[in-house]
Amino acid sequence: MSPDKSVGIAVIEYGLTDVLVGLSGGADSVCLMLALLGCGVKVTALHVNHMIRGDEAYRDEEFCRSLCASRSVPFYCERIDVPSLSASCGKGIEETAREARYEAFCEAADRLGIPFIATAHNADDNAETVVFNIVRGASPDGISGIPRRRGNIVRPLLFSTRAEIELYLSECGQQFVTDSTNSDDSYTRNLIRSRVMPVLRSINPAVSESFLRLSRIAAADREYFGAAIDSASGILPAELPYSLLSRLVVKRYKEFTGRRGITASQVDAICTAVSEYKCVSFDLPGSCCSVGYGNFRFCSGSPDTSGYSFPVSEGLNYVPGGNTALYFGCPNVYKLSTSVHVDCDKIQGNVYARNRLPGDRIVCLGVSKSVRKEIINKKIPRRLRRSVPVVCDSEGIIYVPYIGAADRVYTAKSDSSVIGLINSETEILNEEE
């Protein structure tokens, strides 16, 4: 659908008259601003400089400032040192940037008294998100993709493809800037965009539109199941079908913790225990789940991560406590908080992970380093230190997250196996942009 038509539908559907646009300077956000102006909407632009890409980030900032001046659009800019913020909060760069960006949008809209925030997600973004969620093991809710509206945040371009957006700008004679990191296939989303989507598009040129229809159906199903959960409030959870029980677990977890850090495997384990009338407890990010007599509840509790040891196999390996997991296997599956490439042929015997012990040392770059001191030197937040595992083989330590791999197993080959730490909060059931 042409961008002006897609935006026009949103203007009528949501009654958009005064909108704050998240303006990055890329084709999508530039197109969004022009289309909204074309519909007679009062537009204010906010550019967030994440201070990640050096001079290129300031180039984008200046482009947005000049574009708004040429169109008489009020312009605001927020500079946020995302790399420093990421290091201090222990989250990945992308997750930190997204949270900071939306926080800036909401604060600006509230300060300026603007009722709606518009972001420039399009049909291709939605298709890539659905593929990404499916590959990582999404629930049915995961294929609902990017919502066209969430609260006061709207995505007017969601019915338009990237090709339609670029054609629109070409016809308008409007330039835009390109983020150089978009071509970096070390980011899983970029890999999907550059390699997976072209293959799917060769099978069906309208694949993005197909994913959009699938997402709309899945979103409608999610709404139906939400209503069904509310109507089943008086039924013992063990008597509910899995489709409702699993959603009830996720719903109560979000209500209790205010977060989306519970994983599909954790939900499945809780549902199984509930259905089998077991009496067990589960340690989860930000809470514990107590199961008994066909029911369950979430409660506060701090997991004990001392004195553990477990074998490391391919895929995700959860560290006791539930907040983190080790990933071991092929690259480009998860966006890990910290990871390295290792040569499996040099690993001796079985691989296992254990808690950190006094006197632990690892040889990296020819230097024997104290694990305890390196964790302190790396400024790992105290709340994360106890959950940092030490990975060993039969000859000793081979990897410690945030510190690196031992020289005897490390390799620079990008096609080799990856070992790294992932926050379980990133393995979410439904990733919304």
Side-chain angles (χ1 to χ4, degrees), residues 127-300:
E128 291 156 11
T129 295
V130 173
V131 171
F132 188 54
N133 289 346
I134 290 173
V135 170
R136 291 174 61 181
S139 71
D141 286 351
I143 61 176
S144 60
I146 303 173
R148 184 160 164 82
R149 177 178 180 176
R150 187 176 70 236
N152 68 329
I153 300 173
V154 295
R155 280 88 181 208
L157 285 179
L158 203 58
F159 295 155
S160 300
T161 65
R162 193 166 291 119
E164 290 169 332
I165 288 169
E166 293 182 359
L167 176 61
Y168 176 89
L169 292 176
S170 176
E171 292 175 345
C172 293
Q174 177 61 58
Q175 295 182 331
F176 54 89
V177 294
T178 301
D179 185 339
S180 62
T181 63
N182 288 342
S183 60
D184 184 356
D185 282 355
S186 65
Y187 293 94
T188 308
R189 285 185 177 275
N190 291 349
L191 187 70
I192 291 172
R193 179 176 303 158
S194 65
R195 300 189 188 182
V196 177
M197 294 308 299
V199 173
L200 296 179
R201 201 164 283 116
S202 69
I203 299 171
N204 177 11
V207 66
S208 293
E209 292 88 339
S210 295
F211 273 115
L212 196 60
R213 286 193 295 273
L214 175 64
S215 294
R216 292 169 67 183
I217 293 170
D221 287 349
R222 180 171 61 180
E223 184 177 349
Y224 168 81
F225 279 112
I229 289 173
D230 293 338
S231 66
S233 58
I235 301 175
L236 186 69
E239 297 177 1
L240 294 174
Y242 182 87
S243 59
L244 288 183
L245 177 56
S246 59
R247 287 173 168 84
L248 179 62
V249 170
V250 174
K251 180 175 183 289
R252 288 187 180 176
Y253 176 81
K254 290 179 182 178
E255 290 173 345
F256 184 81
T257 65
R259 62 204 298 182
R260 298 184 298 156
I262 193 167
T263 68
S265 58
Q266 291 166 337
V267 171
D268 189 60
I270 293 171
C271 291
T272 299
V274 170
S275 300
E276 296 178 357
Y277 288 82
K278 291 182 178 179
C279 293
V280 295
S281 63
F282 299 88
D283 290 321
L284 301 167
S287 72
C288 290
C289 180
S290 297
V291 177
Y293 307 103
N295 208 339
F296 69 95
R297 68 182 181 90
F298 292 100
C299 55
S300 300

Side-chain angles (χ1 to χ4, degrees), residues 18-21 23 33 37 41-47 64-65 67-77 112 114:
D18 190 2
V19 176
L20 177 71
V21 171
L23 183 65
M33 188 179 83
L37 289 172
V41 176
K42 179 183 178 182
V43 174
T44 301
L46 174 63
H47 175 78
C64 292
R65 181 178 285 106
L67 174 64
C68 289
S70 70
R71 301 279 178 169
S72 299
V73 171
F75 175 79
Y76 296 87
C77 178
L112 298 170
I114 300 175

Side-chain angles (χ1 to χ4, degrees), residues 339-344 346-347 362-365 397-399 403-414 416-417 419:
S339 63
V340 294
H341 291 270
V342 293
D343 186 344
C344 291
K346 295 180 180 179
I347 294 176
I362 183 171
V363 179
C364 293
L365 301 176
I397 298 175
I398 61 172
Y399 170 69
I403 298 176
D407 289 347
R408 63 186 176 88
V409 299
Y410 172 77
T411 180
K413 295 180 179 179
S414 61
S416 58
S417 292
I419 187 168

Side-chain angles (χ1 to χ4, degrees), residues 91-114:
K91 296 181 180 179
I93 289 286
E94 288 180 291
E95 182 183 5
T96 303
R98 178 185 180 278
E99 291 179 355
R101 184 166 61 250
Y102 275 97
E103 183 177 352
F105 291 160
C106 292
E107 288 180 352
D110 184 61
R111 183 177 69 252
L112 298 170
I114 300 175

